[in-house]
């Protein structure tokens, strides 16, 4: 078993280190291969996703990814910006299905931005499409009719792209509470009209799943009004990006949400995938030992479960995280004072 470790920028290396300590403590005989990506790779090698990093990722059974983003690089040509590392990996490896689970851990009810009785009902899974949408359409700058500069980004989805992510959403719902909410903006966008038509078509294969459709503005509102109504939410790349950050604050902190990005490739042990916290590189607190590593530790648990077939080990990590939180060991993002390694130590102690 081999994991590619791509720590990236900002707090990426710090939070990844804690997740690796957790994996190593379980003594599972997993080989690790590390490579720089993002702004760190650009500065060292002139490209945010050097061929060597992509090769390490391809040769592994799974990828543990930290975060990318570096203010020093915000003015570079877009294809050289740190974010291209994660976007490039998702695209090159056809990791089109991004699973972002959100639930309130015991002890965190009072830390949500929502009232505790509203927050404690949250147990949802966002299934975000990752390979299409306005993220990967034609984009650029051009001259508008009045001679001023204009920026543009084309949004599109084809039937095949919607179909494959819809299947992931329906299957996830079958394994949970049997409810799927497809989020779009079909009242305005043709891309969304096609999305909705295809989802309705795919639904015929899943008579056991209750499907509803919701416009994205309403979904954003419902997510704070009554998040307990959601089981699985399936949506496009841009809407999923936004709603998953919003869901994170509903459960307490963006420092808590893990994610798995999967495609169709199978490894000897499970499904090939990339695992990362949904938060970014947080340059303001980078290198200070203040970042909450929980989202990355939980991502490592998802990795063991989905890509390496080690469900028991994943359960153990998740139980240790839950026990740590219940004991009140909280990072600053949750109003506590525990630092990055202190949180890692607390999880290790409970393993
Ligand atoms: C995420 C991030 C990325 C995205 C950025 C870093 C490109 O916000 O994974 O949610 O927009 O997908
Ligand atoms: Mg995001």
């Amino acid at each position: 078993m081999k994991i590619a470790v791509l720590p990236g920028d900002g707090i990426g290396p710090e939070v990844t280190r804690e997740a690796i300590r957790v994996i190593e403590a379980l003594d599972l005989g997993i080989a690790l291969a590390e490579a720089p990506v993002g702004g760190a790779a650009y500065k060292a090698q002139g490209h945010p996703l050097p061929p060597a990093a992509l090769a390490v990722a391809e040769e592994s059974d799974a990828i543990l990814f930290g975060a990318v983003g570096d203010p020093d690089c915000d003015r570079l040509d877009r294809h050289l910006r740190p974010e291209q590392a994660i976007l490039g990996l998702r695209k090159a490896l056809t990791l089109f299905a991004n699973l972002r689970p959100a639930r309130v851990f015991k002890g965190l009810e009072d830390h949500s931005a929502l009232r505790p009785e509203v927050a404690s009902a949250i147990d949802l899974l966002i299934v975000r499409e990752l390979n299409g949408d306005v993220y990967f359409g034609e984009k650029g700058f051009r001259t508008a009719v009045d001679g001023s500069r204009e920026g543009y980004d084309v949004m599109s989805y084809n039937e095949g792209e919607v179909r494959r992510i819809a299947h992931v959403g329906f299957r996830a719902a079958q394994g949970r509470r049997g409810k799927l909410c497809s989020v779009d903006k079909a009242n305005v966008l043709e891309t969304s009209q096609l999305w909705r038509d295809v989802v309705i078509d795919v639904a015929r294969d899943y008579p056991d799943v209750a499907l509803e459709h919701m416009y994205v503005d309403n979904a954003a509102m419902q997510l704070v009004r009554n998040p307990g109504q959601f089981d699985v939410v399936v949506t496009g790349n841009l809407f999923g990006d936004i709603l998953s950050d919003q869901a994170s604050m509903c459960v307490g902190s963006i420092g808590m949400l893990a994610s798995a990005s999967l495609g169709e490739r199978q490894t000897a042990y499970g499904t090939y995938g990339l695992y990362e916290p949904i938060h970014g590189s947080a340059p303001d607190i980078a290198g200070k030992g203040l970042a909450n590593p929980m989202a990355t530790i939980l991502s490592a648990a998802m990795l063991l479960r989905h890509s390496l077939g080690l469900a028991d080990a994943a359960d153990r990590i998740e139980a240790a995280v839950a026990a740590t939180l219940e004991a009140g060991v909280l990072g600053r993002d949750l109003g506590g004072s525990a630092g990055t390694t202190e949180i890692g130590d607390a999880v290790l102690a409970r393993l």
Side-chain angles (χ1 to χ4, degrees):
M1 292 181 284
K2 185 171 163 192
I3 301 177
V5 181
L6 310 178
D9 304 320
I11 60 170
E14 297 161 61
V15 293
T16 310
R17 194 175 305 128
E18 299 310 313
I20 293 298
R21 285 171 71 209
V22 168
I23 292 174
E24 289 189 324
L26 290 170
D27 206 11
L28 300 162
I30 301 171
L32 305 172
E34 196 174 315
V37 289
Y42 172 76
K43 286 172 179 167
Q45 301 174 35
H47 198 279
L49 182 57
L54 186 56
V56 167
E58 269 171 336
E59 287 154 14
S60 302
D61 299 300
I63 304 153
L64 184 67
F65 192 92
V68 287
D70 181 340
D72 292 351
C73 300
D74 283 351
R75 289 276 145 193
L76 291 173
D77 279 355
R78 189 154 302 275
H79 74 284
L80 293 174
R81 296 215 197 152
E83 290 77 8
Q84 295 306 313
I86 186 63
L87 298 175
L89 283 163
R90 290 169 181 171
K91 192 73 173 176
L93 303 172
T94 328
L95 302 169
F96 64 86
N98 187 214
L99 312 183
R100 299 190 158 183
R103 68 180 171 98
V104 172
F105 282 90
K106 249 179 139 176
L108 293 192
E109 300 85 351
D110 293 330
H111 298 278
S112 166
L114 307 178
R115 287 196 309 278
E117 68 273 21
V118 178
S120 55
I122 301 175
D123 183 1
L124 60 86
L125 173 70
I126 295 179
V127 176
R128 170 190 175 194
E129 201 289 329
L130 274 191
N131 280 181
D133 204 350
V134 69
Y135 270 61
F136 292 100
E138 194 195 323
K139 58 180 75 233
F141 299 101
R142 61 193 169 201
T143 307
V145 272
D146 67 358
S148 65
R149 283 190 327 132
E150 181 171 279
Y152 65 96
D153 300 84
V154 175
M155 174 183 270
S156 71
Y157 264 123
N158 64 43
E159 282 186 52
E161 288 170 326
V162 180
R163 205 169 281 283
R164 66 183 181 179
I165 194 69
H167 280 290
V168 175
F170 280 105
R171 285 198 300 264
Q174 282 180 324
R176 292 174 49 105
R177 301 194 301 277
K179 280 175 63 180
L180 180 66
C181 178
S182 172
V183 171
D184 63 37
K185 187 69 187 173
N187 51 345
V188 177
L189 304 174
E190 297 298 28
T191 309
S192 283
Q193 188 59 57
L194 180 107
W195 175 282
R196 188 174 285 219
D197 292 347
V198 173
V199 170
I200 289 170
D201 193 39
V202 173
R204 288 191 285 184
D205 293 348
Y206 302 89
D208 51 336
V209 174
L211 171 67
E212 67 169 332
H213 304 274
M214 205 178 269
Y215 297 137
V216 63
D217 49 350
N218 184 26
M221 185 270 278
Q222 296 295 339
L223 203 50
V224 292
R225 189 186 77 90
N226 175 19
Q229 72 185 284
F230 294 107
D231 180 13
V232 180
V233 173
V234 66
T235 191
N237 206 345
L238 182 64
F239 300 155
D241 179 44
I242 299 167
L243 292 178
S244 55
D245 267 32
Q246 190 184 339
S248 74
M249 283 319 286
C250 296
V251 303
S253 163
I254 194 159
M256 290 303 304
L257 251 65
S259 84
S261 301
L262 309 173
E264 269 152 16
R265 178 177 155 193
Q266 297 298 308
T267 69
Y269 318 99
T271 304
Y272 180 74
L274 180 151
Y275 301 81
E276 55 170 332
I278 80 153
H279 63 67
S281 58
D284 53 324
I285 58 163
K288 297 185 179 159
L290 299 176
N292 180 357
M294 287 303 205
T296 316
I297 294 172
L298 290 168
S299 297
M302 291 184 90
L303 183 158
L304 298 180
R305 178 177 294 116
H306 293 289
S307 290
L308 299 180
L310 297 169
D312 290 348
D315 289 346
R316 282 183 63 193
I317 294 174
E318 285 165 358
V321 166
T324 302
L325 295 167
E326 220 179 327
V329 182
L330 304 177
R332 293 188 170 212
D333 55 323
L334 287 164
S337 61
T340 312
T341 46
E342 197 181 326
I343 294 173
D345 287 344
V347 174
L348 284 172
R350 284 161 184 85
L351 267 183

